[in-house]
Amino acid sequence: MPASSASAASSASPEPAPPPPDQDDHAPLAREQAHLAASRAALRAMRAETEALDISDVAANWVNAEVLASGIALRIKALADLSGTPLFFGRLDFDHSVDDDGEHGHRFYIGRRHVHDAHGDPMVIDWRAPVSQPFYRATRNDPQDVGLRRRFGYDGGELTAYEDEHLTDPAEAETASALLQQEIEKPRVGPMRDIVATIQPEQDELVRAPLTGTVCVQGAPGTGKTAVGLHRVAYLLYAHRERLARTGTLVVGPNRSFLRYIEQVLPTLGELEVKQATVGELVGRVEVRGADDAVAAGIKGDARMAEVLRRAVRAGVRMPEEGVVVVRGSRRWRVSAGELGELVRQLLDRDIRYGAAREALPQRIAHLVLVQMEQAGEAPDDRVQNAVARTPAVKAAVKAALPPVDPAKLVLRLLSDADFLAEQADGVLDAEEQRAILWERAPRGLKSVRWSAADAVLIDEAHDLVERTGSLGHVVLDEAQDLSPMQYRAVGRRCSTGSATILGDIAQGTTPWATDDWASALAHLGKPDGRVEELTQGFRVPRTVIAYASRLLPAIAPELTEATSVRDAAGSFAIRQVTKDGAVVDACRDALRREGSVGLIAADARRPALAEALEAAGLPFLAPGEETSAGARLTLVPASLAKGLEYDYVVLDEPAAVVAGEPDRRTGLRRLYVCLTRAVSGLTITHTEPLPGELG
């Protein structure tokens, strides 16, 4: 692939004309370093120019002034020159034979953000711009008018090397990119970093997919699905800035540790306003202090609960038995019980939200009164209709027919009143399922309820039945395979008028209700037309490690394609059957002698004992999500929190204990699959108990 490379200590290939080849082997590298220095100076000038803006007499009022000042502050922050982050990572020289669209002989430097000089001429092109696309997709078979593609190597923020591909030169041999491999191999100390310099063609197609469509990415471990989702957000914000600024974007992750791990990716790409949340935070209308057993949680998460709740919301509806009399001055206007009942039936038949029906009913009653007034020779207007709708008699009639519904009180009654639950769940849940979710003792009031995470989702569903949930323009949902149908519905409500990017791996589903079918998941999300794409080429997990972990696939996800890896890290995999207590600590010590992060992953029940052992050995360690802390490279990771994380070296303690820590063997094997695939450079397994038979 690359024809040549250069560094401060190695020879460089001549540059294609123009400019003409340079006789000094180091001159091309020096020129690129000079362009980097000039680009950084231009970026500083852009920031200084923004900081110097005087908006004192621009805004019409203080509100507009605050909005404008806030926008400028964000712009200044986005123009920061991050010292350790390369400003550009590639270059495209378009073929000199090309002259359409003004691209004849043009050269573009591809980077994380746009930088221009004092004359407005671009010095660095944003990686998301259309002209940057060939950097990721051009090949020898389809050069896309690119004569030369150059990749740059960095040490910290300093440009130290380059590597060229002459895509239209038939004499140049195709070899693997050493700089690309070097970038992939970089140690993973600290939070997750972007992959903007190493995006592969199949990933780029997903990143640049249209905003209007929902994309579901089934990705094996190490295929970069999380990075694809985050870079897709950055791309969509670039391509549809104004639209998404109005409607908003959101990244949903499985837990706070995971969100802390990925939170720096978008800021390094210049996107500072993308919100992040867990599903629990999305539906956090009540405080979660309790927990369900697996059976109850599974039933509460079943999509059938949506119908139970729909019935419960309407359970209080009463058809009027008496008419309503409205007094206006000396006149009395009557709407009969039959007319009132017909209005209620019409609203319910439209299946609009309960709250909207309660708001519409008084206006419809008032309209019937206005019709009578007009027939009597009066000329009422809209003000009269609104006044009639607010009269005590009309309000009382509405309250009697459509009493107000408090979502939390409704779910409280549903889970504590056996007769009420039986009535609403008739034909939906059987008697055994009803008993499984019914509380043994009814709480004395809302304040005493120990709501579970599944209860909070039910309350959110009930709230949406009463009042519409606001929709965002785009939502990224990561680790989606672990969501229940009701959780999918909760996320889907947040993008009902927008689109979504769904990321997950069926083989890594570790909840009792984990999905086995993306089509069903998309249907629950409200996006049945979403397309499913599969990523099977790994860039993170070494080949030997992913091959070993894939031995579990026949037992946990036989329908999935086995993943492959571009990385062949020799000596990266070891299994140690041990007898002494300190063997795990010794393995951690061995890993810490190498450069990069180390994760000790163990069954949740074994974490306290391992923490004591590490402290006794004098090895400082962190908890997941604390990887930005200084002074420690070792993280002690409970198996339940390992999903989505990655470490250069992983020590996996007692695989059999990881499997035994789950309610059933299949879930336990899926949890083990997750733990086995967290390593970037090396995996060491230590065990005293026999390994699970599925590993062979």
Side-chain angles (χ1 to χ4, degrees), residues 62 116 148 154 288 348 358 377 443 472 527 580 654 673:
W62 70 269
H116 60 256
L148 177 141
Y154 285 83
V288 174
L348 295 180
R358 294 192 79 247
L472 298 163
K527 308 292 183 184
K580 63 176 184 176
E654 290 295 356
Y673 181 76

Side-chain angles (χ1 to χ4, degrees), residues 517-687:
D517 177 9
W518 286 122
S520 298
L522 288 168
H524 293 313
L525 195 74
K527 308 292 183 184
D529 296 331
R531 63 186 177 99
V532 180
E533 300 287 346
E534 188 172 6
L535 294 176
T536 59
Q537 177 110 58
F539 304 95
R540 173 174 58 80
V541 185
R543 190 175 302 152
T544 53
V545 174
I546 194 64
Y548 184 73
S550 294
R551 296 182 182 185
L552 298 174
L553 285 180
I556 61 176
E559 70 282 4
L560 293 184
T561 303
E562 182 175 333
T564 59
S565 178
V566 300
R567 301 183 60 237
D568 187 11
S572 62
F573 179 51
I575 302 175
R576 299 179 185 174
Q577 186 166 9
V578 299
T579 55
K580 63 176 184 176
D581 294 337
V584 175
V585 175
D586 291 343
C588 291
R589 257 199 206 95
D590 291 344
L592 287 167
R593 292 190 181 100
R594 308 175 188 180
E595 184 184 5
S597 58
V598 178
L600 170 55
I601 304 179
D604 291 32
R606 289 181 57 81
R607 185 194 178 282
L610 291 173
E612 290 183 10
L614 292 174
E615 290 171 354
L619 292 181
F621 62 92
L622 307 168
E626 297 177 350
E627 283 81 3
T628 55
S629 302
R633 291 190 292 120
L634 173 63
T635 305
L636 178 54
V637 187
S640 62
L641 294 183
K643 195 171 297 177
L645 304 181
E646 58 183 32
Y647 301 93
D648 287 287
Y649 297 94
V650 167
V651 177
L652 177 58
D653 169 75
E654 290 295 356
V658 173
V659 176
E662 300 298 328
D664 61 82
R665 187 164 184 82
R666 187 186 187 210
T667 303
L669 291 172
R670 285 185 167 186
R671 182 76 70 189
L672 177 58
Y673 181 76
V674 171
C675 297
L676 286 168
T677 54
R678 299 304 95 201
V680 175
S681 297
L683 169 66
T684 299
I685 299 172
T686 61
H687 68 103

Side-chain angles (χ1 to χ4, degrees), residues 208-368:
R208 298 175 192 263
L211 172 63
T212 52
T214 288
V215 179
C216 176
V217 182
Q218 158 61 43
T223 54
K225 56 185 177 294
T226 296
V228 165
L230 295 174
H231 287 69
R232 176 158 163 71
V233 171
Y235 170 77
L236 293 176
L237 286 168
Y238 175 88
H240 307 278
R241 177 78 60 189
E242 185 176 342
R243 176 175 174 180
L244 290 179
R246 294 194 309 269
T247 56
T249 52
L250 174 70
V251 175
V252 182
N255 52 59
R256 266 289 137 195
S257 295
F258 177 83
L259 292 177
R260 283 194 295 270
Y261 177 63
I262 68 171
E263 66 184 356
Q264 294 303 316
V265 173
L266 287 168
T268 63
L269 298 174
E271 300 301 339
L272 307 173
E273 292 195 288
V274 179
K275 296 180 180 178
Q276 297 182 344
T278 65
V279 174
E281 290 165 347
L282 284 185
V283 301
R285 303 181 187 278
V286 294
E287 182 183 359
V288 174
R289 297 184 297 159
D292 293 307
D293 59 41
V295 174
I299 297 169
K300 290 179 181 179
D302 194 295
R304 293 175 296 165
M305 288 300 299
E307 173 59 21
V308 175
L309 288 167
R310 192 189 73 82
R311 294 180 184 180
V313 165
R314 296 184 170 205
V317 175
R318 297 290 180 268
M319 287 300 166
E321 297 180 356
E322 297 180 358
V324 60
V325 177
V326 176
V327 179
R328 293 281 298 173
S330 61
R331 304 292 298 271
R332 298 165 65 88
W333 310 96
R334 178 180 176 81
V335 178
S336 69
E339 290 174 308
L340 290 177
E342 182 59 27
L343 292 179
V344 172
R345 276 189 291 271
Q346 287 176 1
L347 290 171
L348 295 180
D349 289 345
R350 286 180 57 194
D351 203 27
I352 62 175
R353 284 175 171 80
Y354 190 80
R358 294 192 79 247
E359 292 177 0
L361 183 56
Q363 289 292 332
R364 294 198 170 199
I365 295 173
H367 177 72
L368 291 182

Side-chain angles (χ1 to χ4, degrees), residues 93-176:
D93 290 4
F94 283 88
D95 196 301
H96 301 299
S97 64
V98 179
D99 59 5
D100 57 319
D101 297 326
E103 297 298 333
H104 181 75
H106 278 192
R107 172 177 296 172
F108 298 98
Y109 287 83
I110 313 302
R112 286 171 171 78
R113 67 196 69 203
H114 173 86
V115 179
H116 60 256
D117 62 17
H119 304 291
D121 295 326
M123 301 188 71
V124 180
I125 300 292
D126 195 302
W127 67 276
R128 298 167 288 187
V131 74
S132 301
Q133 184 171 308
F135 182 78
Y136 301 106
R137 298 199 194 178
T139 64
R140 290 183 178 279
N141 292 332
D142 180 20
Q144 299 186 23
D145 302 327
V146 175
L148 177 141
R149 173 166 54 200
R150 174 169 288 179
R151 300 183 190 274
F152 296 106
Y154 285 83
D155 183 4
E158 297 301 317
L159 195 161
T160 58
Y162 70 86
E163 187 178 70
D164 288 343
E165 293 174 82
H166 297 88
L167 299 181
T168 55
D169 184 357
E172 183 176 288
E174 184 171 1
T175 58

Side-chain angles (χ1 to χ4, degrees), residues 468-481:
R468 182 181 178 275
T469 303
S471 175
L472 298 163
H474 192 78
V475 171
V476 173
L477 174 61
D478 206 350
E479 301 297 348
Q481 72 281 342

